[in-house]
Amino acid sequence: MAWDEWEKLKASAAERSTGQMQLNQLSAESGGGRKPDLISNKPAWTKAGTDIGSLSEDISKATRKLEDGQTGLGKEAGCLTAAAQKEVYGSWETYVNKVSRRCERLSGLLVKAGNDQLRTDEAVEAALGRLEVAYADTPAVGGQNKGR
């Protein structure tokens, strides 16, 4: 199947479609007259991923400041407040590190989603091209004039 055929199939499918996908909103006909403002493109996904990634950096900075604040507390056996402080610090350190890792992972997923969305048609075109090469028709054998 050539890329042109793929484009024709997509256009044909779009023409046959009678309904629109509706996600948790009123249809355009039911009032309001507002056009949807949801945009899904690579720059939007990349910005979302980058913004989430920057949260991870900010969390790391805050964690270092929190760690610096623990210096000089001494041994917890000598002071109940120091012991309580150390316990609270340990739980917060664990929590904040998990949040930071979650932000990093989500950042990567959002950026990847934007890249995958962009590459969908390109990937299909490349796959179809590879199929054409791999399964190209072989020349017919026999029955040819061969100059006679």
Side-chain angles (χ1 to χ4, degrees):
M1 174 187 308
W3 180 251
D4 302 356
E5 291 177 75
W6 173 246
E7 288 295 331
K8 288 177 188 174
L9 287 171
K10 287 191 334 186
S12 174
E15 288 172 6
R16 286 192 313 264
S17 176
T18 57
Q20 292 181 337
M21 182 183 287
Q22 184 176 327
L23 299 175
N24 197 20
Q25 67 182 21
L26 293 174
S27 65
E29 295 85 34
S30 60
R34 241 181 114 221
K35 292 184 179 180
D37 56 2
L38 176 65
I39 298 173
S40 181
N41 56 32
K42 183 179 179 182
W45 286 97
T46 301
K47 179 169 176 12
T50 303
D51 289 351
I52 294 290
S54 71
L55 285 177
S56 176
E57 294 169 15
D58 292 344
I59 290 169
S60 295
K61 290 176 188 174
T63 303
R64 284 191 293 277
K65 288 183 180 181
L66 186 62
E67 186 178 333
D68 292 344
Q70 300 306 303
T71 58
L73 282 178
K75 299 186 184 229
E76 64 252 16
C79 177
L80 293 177
T81 305
Q85 173 71 20
K86 186 173 184 177
E87 185 178 330
V88 169
Y89 168 73
S91 69
W92 270 98
E93 181 183 37
T94 300
Y95 175 76
V96 169
N97 285 333
K98 286 180 179 178
V99 169
S100 180
R101 285 193 304 270
R102 184 177 288 179
C103 288
E104 289 171 5
R105 188 162 183 205
L106 180 58
S107 172
L109 291 173
L110 292 172
V111 170
K112 184 179 181 324
N115 287 333
D116 289 351
Q117 179 184 10
L118 172 72
R119 294 187 181 151
T120 301
D121 281 347
E122 295 167 357
V124 170
E125 182 178 14
L128 290 172
R130 288 190 299 273
L131 279 175
E132 282 183 3
V133 170
Y135 298 104
D137 289 338
T138 56
V141 178
Q144 294 163 326
N145 191 339
K146 298 211 180 199
R148 293 184 219 164

